[in-house]
Amino acid sequence: VFGLSEEEGVLFSRITLSKKGEVKNRLALLLSIESKLSGLFQNSEFEKQWLHQKKEILDGATPLDLILREDIKDIQRVESLVRYMCGR
Protein backbone atom coordinates (compact mmCIF):
# COMPACT_ATOMS: atom_id res chain seq x y z
CA VAL A 1 0.00 0.00 0.00
CA PHE A 2 1.23 3.51 -0.85
CA GLY A 3 4.51 2.21 -2.22
CA LEU A 4 5.96 1.70 1.24
CA SER A 5 9.53 0.51 1.52
CA GLU A 6 10.03 -2.68 3.50
CA GLU A 7 11.21 -0.65 6.51
CA GLU A 8 8.19 1.68 6.31
CA GLY A 9 5.86 -1.31 6.00
CA VAL A 10 7.31 -2.90 9.14
CA LEU A 11 6.97 0.40 11.03
CA PHE A 12 3.36 0.79 9.86
CA SER A 13 2.54 -2.78 10.91
CA ARG A 14 4.02 -2.27 14.37
CA ILE A 15 2.09 0.96 14.90
CA THR A 16 -1.17 -0.51 13.63
CA LEU A 17 -0.87 -3.64 15.76
CA SER A 18 0.06 -1.63 18.85
CA LYS A 19 -3.18 0.35 18.52
CA LYS A 20 -5.58 -2.59 18.46
CA GLY A 21 -8.60 -0.50 19.43
CA GLU A 22 -8.02 1.73 16.41
CA VAL A 23 -7.25 -0.88 13.75
CA LYS A 24 -10.64 -0.63 11.99
CA ASN A 25 -10.55 3.16 11.99
CA ARG A 26 -6.96 3.27 10.73
CA LEU A 27 -7.72 0.82 7.93
CA ALA A 28 -10.87 2.70 6.95
CA LEU A 29 -8.92 5.96 6.73
CA LEU A 30 -6.14 4.33 4.70
CA LEU A 31 -8.62 2.77 2.29
CA SER A 32 -10.34 6.13 1.90
CA ILE A 33 -7.01 7.86 1.20
CA GLU A 34 -5.91 5.21 -1.28
CA SER A 35 -9.25 5.15 -3.08
CA LYS A 36 -9.41 8.92 -3.45
CA LEU A 37 -5.79 9.22 -4.56
CA SER A 38 -6.32 6.50 -7.17
CA GLY A 39 -9.26 8.40 -8.59
CA LEU A 40 -7.46 11.72 -8.43
CA PHE A 41 -4.15 10.72 -10.00
CA GLN A 42 -5.05 7.58 -11.99
CA ASN A 43 -1.33 6.73 -11.98
CA SER A 44 0.36 4.95 -9.07
CA GLU A 45 3.66 6.75 -9.69
CA PHE A 46 1.98 10.14 -9.25
CA GLU A 47 0.33 8.84 -6.06
CA LYS A 48 3.71 7.78 -4.68
CA GLN A 49 5.26 11.12 -5.59
CA TRP A 50 2.45 12.99 -3.85
CA LEU A 51 2.78 10.84 -0.72
CA HIS A 52 6.54 11.52 -0.55
CA GLN A 53 6.45 15.29 -1.20
CA LYS A 54 6.61 17.67 1.74
CA LYS A 55 3.48 19.75 2.10
CA GLU A 56 3.37 23.16 3.74
CA ILE A 57 -0.24 22.50 4.76
CA LEU A 58 1.04 19.48 6.74
CA ASP A 59 3.62 21.62 8.56
CA GLY A 60 6.36 20.61 6.13
CA ALA A 61 5.83 16.87 6.58
CA THR A 62 5.03 14.42 3.83
CA PRO A 63 1.63 12.70 3.85
CA LEU A 64 3.46 9.41 4.34
CA ASP A 65 5.27 10.84 7.40
CA LEU A 66 1.89 11.52 8.98
CA ILE A 67 0.45 8.16 7.98
CA LEU A 68 3.36 6.43 9.71
CA ARG A 69 2.95 8.30 13.00
CA GLU A 70 1.25 6.68 15.95
CA ASP A 71 -1.49 9.27 16.43
CA ILE A 72 -4.58 8.49 14.37
CA LYS A 73 -5.24 12.24 14.17
CA ASP A 74 -2.28 12.49 11.79
CA ILE A 75 -3.87 9.98 9.42
CA GLN A 76 -7.13 11.92 9.70
CA ARG A 77 -5.28 15.09 8.62
CA VAL A 78 -4.07 13.35 5.47
CA GLU A 79 -7.52 11.93 4.75
CA SER A 80 -9.07 15.39 5.20
CA LEU A 81 -6.54 16.91 2.80
CA VAL A 82 -7.20 14.23 0.18
CA ARG A 83 -10.96 14.67 0.59
CA TYR A 84 -10.52 18.43 0.11
CA MET A 85 -8.42 17.87 -3.01
CA CYS A 86 -11.21 15.73 -4.44
CA GLY A 87 -13.83 18.35 -3.65
CA ARG A 88 -15.59 16.19 -1.05
Side-chain angles (χ1 to χ4, degrees):
V1 176
F2 301 126
L4 295 177
S5 68
E6 185 175 336
E7 183 178 306
E8 292 167 334
V10 168
L11 175 62
F12 177 75
S13 296
R14 284 187 192 145
I15 292 168
T16 300
L17 293 175
S18 72
K19 304 286 185 178
K20 290 184 181 181
E22 297 178 355
V23 171
K24 281 185 181 178
N25 291 337
R26 286 174 178 271
L27 291 175
L29 287 167
L30 292 173
L31 289 172
S32 174
I33 292 167
E34 203 283 326
S35 172
K36 287 176 177 61
L37 287 178
S38 292
L40 189 64
F41 292 113
Q42 300 179 356
N43 180 315
S44 63
E45 281 306 309
F46 293 143
E47 278 183 59
K48 289 177 190 176
Q49 288 174 5
W50 185 87
L51 286 164
H52 288 87
Q53 289 175 342
K54 293 181 180 186
K55 308 283 185 239
E56 190 174 319
I57 196 164
L58 299 176
D59 303 320
T62 70
L64 190 56
D65 289 337
L66 270 65
I67 288 169
L68 293 175
R69 291 184 185 167
E70 289 192 36
D71 193 340
I72 195 168
K73 290 178 183 175
D74 291 318
I75 300 173
Q76 290 169 330
R77 283 182 68 193
V78 175
E79 199 272 340
S80 292
L81 174 59
V82 172
R83 202 168 357 105
Y84 174 79
M85 290 169 49
C86 292
R88 298 177 190 155

